[in-house]
Amino acid sequence: MEFFSAKHVDKVFATTKALSDVSISVNQQSIFGLLGPNGAGKTTLIRIINQITAPDSGEIFLEGHKLKASDVARIGYLPEERGLYKKMKIGEQAIYLAQLKGLSKHDATRNLKHWFEKFEIMPWWNKKIEELSKGMQQKVQFITTVVHKPKLLIFDEPFSGFDPINANLLKKEILQLRDEGATIIFSTHNMSSVEELCDHIALINKSEKIVDGPTDEIRQRYKQNIFEVKYRGNYEEVEKNLGQKMKILAHSEEKNENRIKIQFLNGDSNNQLIQTLLPVAEIVSFEEIIPGMNDVFITAVEESNKSKTN
Amino acid sequence: MNKTLLILKQEYLKRVKKKSFIVLTLLIPFLFAGMFALIIYLSINNDKEERTIAVYDESQLFLGELEQEGYTTFHFIPEEEYEHLKSNLKGSEFYALLYIPANIYSANVARLLSVKQVPIELSEQIERKLSRFIENDKRMKVVEETGIPDLEDRLAATRTSVKLSTLKISESGETKKSSSTIAFIASYAMGFIIYFFVFMYGSMVMRSVMEEKKSRIIEVIISSVKPIQLMAGKIIGTALVGLTQVAIWVVLGIMALTVVQGLFTPESAQQMGQSIMESQQAMNPAVSQAAGQNQVAEVLEMIGNLNLPLILFAFVFYFLIGYLMYSSLLGAVGAAVDSDEDAQQLVFPVTIPLILSIMLLFPIARNPEGPVAFWGSIIPFTSPVAMLARVPYGIPAWELILSMVLLLLTTVGTIWVAAKIYRTGILMYGKKVNLRELIKWVRYKS
């Protein structure tokens, strides 16, 4: 079920196009990855969703109705460039920020205590932000993002500034928030976390959306007919048999097992490959290589850049 | 709770709870009072040094006439010693050397030699003494020559000194005792206080905006509230801090006045009044001519005769609106820059009119109805300070209204411009801003 959507959003800053005709649709209780190179327009789109800037044209919908000013209470936003009031006490500050999101002082205090205990940072309540390490500050920042139980969460590079242990903790929290009903928009350059977390992605390049779909489907879409085969047998004979139709990308030999990476050059089927190999090798394993998000990202962006310059 | 109110409360409490606010608020009146007391003390007890002056009296007229005068002692010496002292005054027991020539009656010139610069009071004192003696002596001769009985007394009776008591006719036809000195002091004080407040609290708003931008919390905040709400909460909250400070001072002032009135008997008040007036005369004779004989009671009466409700109303109005105008502009500056250095560059053009208006204070005090005063108090950027400096002297209603309306309209304009710059600036990093860039921001659609 669709929870959030942006339809045909355009935004121009002076002479530079930030977004042109961008539409995305995010399902309820899913994690949506918003990807793209630096300066592609992601932050502008995120700021439009947060009503920090208004689009020149296009519309934003939340749960079927047009986004309105009071919706800020239903959105939690962790910006990439973040910070807190350095001289303010942490507890006081967190309550203030929660109140700005529309919580009463009482509810804010109760929710915050819950989160502070969960993250084991209750002793910091009366400390000032400037006394904390950067990682600790990030924890507080994360709490202030989710304390008002927003239905839509927007995380822009949430893991930056966290050590691997805390990053993992955060990942678990994000997944749990989703399981508890939140819908999440997630922007990052860390492609392995995209594979791990995102149900759906959209890739924006130079103000235009170039790829959009479920993460698995997109990886499938960008497969390049590459297979990894492990077999027992003679490498030269295999090479001879494969001939011109298939290209061997890599080869390694370990004990008496060979491992090769093969790419089909024209629409051959898996069976054809197996047939070609069977007479000369004993196949141990056979696997199609699905490209990682990293490869998808690079391929998609390069293709789009090429088609634009042409 | 309304979000603007929430921000307002936060900004207000953050500042009022600071130790430095409490300390400064309590300390500033004492600092000012202390400074004022020190000036008065120094000017009253200015010259208490005991000096001995050697006198060589060629005319042979003054022996026995010049002896002791206040802290000054005169010691007569013969010619040889005079010649010797002339080149050896330094290191001798004498402070100065007075030479009265034989022809003092006709030439009216004597000479005072000294190593150090002689204080003006001392030289005036000696001049007075010599003049008085010669005058008396001449008069005695005239009296003797003419032989008219009681001439001396009759001449003495001709001496006249006119005091000017200034009264102002109000629109209702009443006359009230006014004092240009009191109005002058009030005018200066008002002008300075407004300047000080607008500048201080305007800069506070600017620093607060810069802090939010530099710490990068701004993006989180404006994803919760509209920039205009944030700005409004900040500006109003800070203004309330200023008003709180004024309120504390007014209460302290009333308390202090009550104590002072209880402490001084009428006689001591009279003495003090006189010494204050004298010291003022000594400091600035041109201004306080009319106030020469006034006493504390009279001073208090004249303070009462200033239009205090109008002054208070004008103060609150011009402080609030002037502050609103400048703080919105300074807030925009804070949003436009990344660093303190860049801020300095932009603060200067914004505050030039404010600094200029301080320089207008003196011409306004000299002539509160003159063209400088008129235009200064009409043009919105200088009017908060200039008009407040004029109000104690009394001001035509139409000028006051015109000035207020113009200031209000301009303030609405500056807030509109500032809001545009603010909302673009707070999310803009690493860009060197200049005037052209700012104008571009103002033209952006939201």
Side-chain angles (χ1 to χ4, degrees), chain A residues 21-290:
Chain A
D21 196 28
V22 171
S23 301
I24 59 169
S25 165
V26 182
N27 283 335
Q28 185 147 23
Q29 262 191 294
S30 72
I31 300 182
F32 186 96
L34 188 61
L35 314 179
N38 295 323
K42 286 170 297 175
T43 303
T44 305
L45 181 58
I46 287 174
R47 283 180 180 168
I48 288 172
I49 299 170
N50 280 299
Q51 304 182 59
I52 291 171
T53 38
D56 295 340
S57 67
E59 281 169 339
I60 310 286
F61 292 90
L62 191 69
E63 271 190 311
H65 66 76
K66 260 178 96 171
L67 194 70
K68 52 186 191 296
S70 61
D71 284 330
V72 292
R74 304 156 53 102
I75 300 178
Y77 175 36
L78 184 69
E80 182 179 7
E81 296 286 2
R82 47 193 171 244
L84 295 160
Y85 290 109
K86 291 198 174 63
K87 307 253 178 233
M88 240 170 123
K89 284 180 183 156
I90 290 163
E92 203 182 324
Q93 168 155 218
I95 289 174
Y96 174 54
L97 293 174
Q99 279 181 300
L100 287 182
K101 277 290 185 188
L103 283 191
S104 72
K105 191 167 187 175
H106 175 261
D107 289 349
T109 314
R110 193 195 53 214
N111 293 2
L112 283 168
K113 291 222 159 120
H114 164 77
W115 276 102
F116 271 56
E117 268 156 22
K118 191 170 186 182
F119 278 16
E120 294 169 351
I121 56 172
M122 210 52 209
W124 304 350
W125 187 272
N126 276 322
K127 281 206 173 134
K128 285 180 184 167
I129 280 291
E130 55 187 359
E131 297 171 49
L132 303 187
S133 75
K134 186 143 188 268
M136 290 168 166
Q137 293 183 23
Q138 302 284 11
K139 274 190 184 175
V140 176
Q141 190 106 43
F142 177 79
I143 292 174
T144 62
T145 311
V146 300
V147 65
H148 56 294
K149 300 192 172 135
K151 293 275 185 216
L152 179 66
L153 276 161
I154 301 168
F155 294 118
D156 199 349
E157 291 293 354
F159 304 117
S160 73
F162 279 98
D163 61 48
I165 292 170
N166 281 319
N168 210 38
L169 179 81
L170 199 64
K171 224 173 261 175
K172 270 191 211 151
E173 290 301 334
I174 291 176
L175 287 171
Q176 199 186 332
L177 285 166
R178 193 233 359 230
D179 295 341
E180 285 167 5
T183 305
I184 294 162
I185 295 176
F186 176 49
S187 174
T188 185
H189 292 305
N190 179 344
M191 290 304 147
S192 66
S193 65
V194 172
E195 284 164 28
E196 220 173 314
L197 294 173
C198 294
D199 306 306
H200 197 110
I201 65 138
L203 181 54
I204 296 177
N205 186 40
K206 295 188 175 164
S207 86
E208 282 170 13
K209 187 179 77 177
I210 53 172
V211 177
D212 186 3
T215 314
D216 298 336
E217 220 177 280
I218 285 172
R219 289 174 67 188
Q220 292 285 340
R221 207 186 299 163
Y222 278 82
K223 355 183 247 205
Q224 290 171 307
N225 293 324
I226 296 172
F227 296 83
E228 189 181 70
V229 185
K230 277 190 208 162
Y231 66 90
R232 292 200 191 90
N234 189 308
Y235 173 67
E236 278 75 31
E237 275 184 68
V238 168
E239 196 183 17
K240 211 168 81 191
N241 262 26
L242 288 175
Q244 299 295 309
K245 292 184 286 178
M246 297 170 201
K247 191 174 159 197
I248 297 176
L249 299 173
H251 167 244
S252 62
E253 200 170 341
E254 215 176 289
K255 287 179 192 158
N256 30 10
E257 264 181 30
N258 280 294
R259 183 198 295 229
I260 51 171
K261 254 190 188 170
I262 307 169
Q263 184 174 27
F264 291 4
L265 295 178
N266 36 32
D268 292 310
S269 72
N270 303 359
N271 284 356
Q272 269 178 310
L273 172 63
I274 294 169
Q275 272 168 13
T276 323
L277 287 174
L278 275 179
V280 287
E282 184 191 339
I283 296 173
V284 177
S285 73
F286 180 90
E287 190 183 12
E288 180 163 18
I289 304 274
I290 310 288

Side-chain angles (χ1 to χ4, degrees), chain B residues 72-90:
Chain B
T72 316
T73 314
F74 295 95
H75 179 81
F76 283 78
I77 50 166
E79 187 176 1
E80 312 83 68
E81 205 178 338
Y82 169 68
E83 292 301 334
H84 170 76
L85 267 177
K86 246 163 80 174
S87 43
N88 296 303
L89 189 59
K90 198 173 182 177

